[in-house]
Amino acid sequence: MTYKIADHLKKEFLHESTGHDWWHIYRVWNTSKYIAQKEGGNQEIIELGALLHDIADWKFHDGDESIGPKKAIELMNSFQIDKNVQAEVVKIIQEISYKGAGVKTPMSSLEGKIVQDADRLDAIGAMGIARAFAYGGAKHREIHNPEITPILHGSFEEYKTSKGTTINHFHEKLLLLKDRMNTATGKELANQRHEYMVEFLTQFDLEWNN
Ligand code: ADP
Ligand code: NI
């Protein structure tokens, strides 16, 4: 069944251009399965959580967080997914997002912890760098502006409405993710990707200051 849902999502999200395209979903799905092999959890909930986690992200719906769960339920109903499984998947969608440096985003199930780790791994490393600039471009953000300093947002509202630069996004989110991973497997995978981003930023600074 997850393959049929994956097929459906591929058609809908293939040409999305903000870094939330089908291939992001596909990578999160794969990484979730990999982490689950090591950490356990219910396979169906993990796979559906991964496949549906960005189905209607608030970032693309005027900050509205209620559309994602609604669309996910609609889709899961059309594929006759068990109601108890649906409830767990919806919880993942509701809890997964980063909400600012000062805002805790705990996942209430092992399945959620795994999918959140997989999603965050795709936000860092080479993949994270590519996605950050794609998103920044799509949202008309500046690449870098030395006159604007990063903000460690203390509330989701502040984070949601902030219009910072993409380089600042590294300091406001991406560099902080390594220490917010849930599972041992996720932490291990995050370290190498983190180092790569640090190297990129060092080189960026070097070239900027030349
Ligand atoms: P989350 O729900 O935790 O935000 P997503 O799967 O929606 O995770 O992906 C978020 C990704 O979108 C970020 O890691 C980054 O690549 C991109 N993104 C979000 N906000 C910004 C921003 N302000 N500047 C640049 N990229 C951003
Ligand atoms: Ni995602």
Side-chain angles (χ1 to χ4, degrees), residues 11-203:
K11 286 189 189 101
E12 187 173 340
F13 286 95
L14 198 55
H15 301 295
E16 206 274 353
S17 57
T18 69
H20 292 75
D21 54 300
W22 159 250
W23 297 112
H24 163 63
I25 299 169
Y26 177 78
R27 290 189 301 270
V28 173
W29 184 28
N30 272 335
T31 308
S32 295
K33 284 192 271 189
Y34 174 79
I35 298 175
Q37 273 173 17
K38 315 244 170 194
E39 306 278 343
N42 177 295
Q43 187 81 11
E44 189 183 16
I45 296 168
I46 290 169
E47 290 198 37
L48 287 172
L51 286 167
L52 298 173
H53 81 276
D54 272 337
I55 189 162
D57 193 302
W58 55 267
K59 290 195 250 355
F60 310 104
H61 293 88
D62 287 331
D64 189 339
E65 291 170 81
S66 66
I67 303 177
K70 233 182 273 166
K71 277 196 76 176
I73 290 169
E74 249 172 55
L75 191 70
M76 287 190 285
N77 275 336
S78 73
F79 285 93
Q80 278 108 41
I81 302 295
D82 176 87
K83 292 282 180 199
N84 294 319
V85 170
Q86 288 197 22
E88 288 299 315
V89 173
V90 165
K91 219 162 59 176
I92 294 177
I93 298 170
Q94 286 166 334
E95 295 173 347
I96 195 166
S97 257
Y98 185 79
K99 297 187 169 70
V103 187
K104 288 207 167 86
T105 46
M107 299 303 284
S108 51
S109 66
L110 170 62
E111 290 78 11
K113 290 183 166 87
I114 290 172
V115 178
Q116 188 182 59
D117 277 4
D119 190 31
R120 290 181 168 180
L121 283 165
D122 209 56
I124 62 177
M127 211 56 76
I129 295 169
R131 293 182 67 222
F133 289 102
Y135 183 95
K139 291 272 190 176
H140 309 292
R141 303 276 176 102
E142 287 178 89
I143 292 175
H144 180 48
N145 181 341
E147 291 166 2
I148 304 175
T149 44
I151 304 167
L152 297 176
H153 302 98
S155 73
F156 185 31
E157 206 43 48
E158 244 182 276
Y159 178 70
K160 241 187 204 181
T161 48
S162 169
K163 287 255 171 277
T165 69
T166 300
I167 286 293
N168 281 354
H169 187 64
F170 284 82
H171 300 282
E172 294 168 350
K173 174 185 177 187
L174 308 183
L175 291 170
L176 310 177
L177 293 180
K178 164 177 84 68
D179 294 326
R180 294 173 64 146
M181 302 302 285
N182 305 301
T183 67
T185 312
K187 281 188 185 121
E188 208 180 296
L189 294 170
N191 283 331
Q192 195 255 342
R193 293 184 184 215
H194 179 87
E195 288 314 313
Y196 189 83
M197 276 194 307
V198 171
E199 213 176 296
F200 166 77
L201 290 170
T202 307
Q203 178 70 18

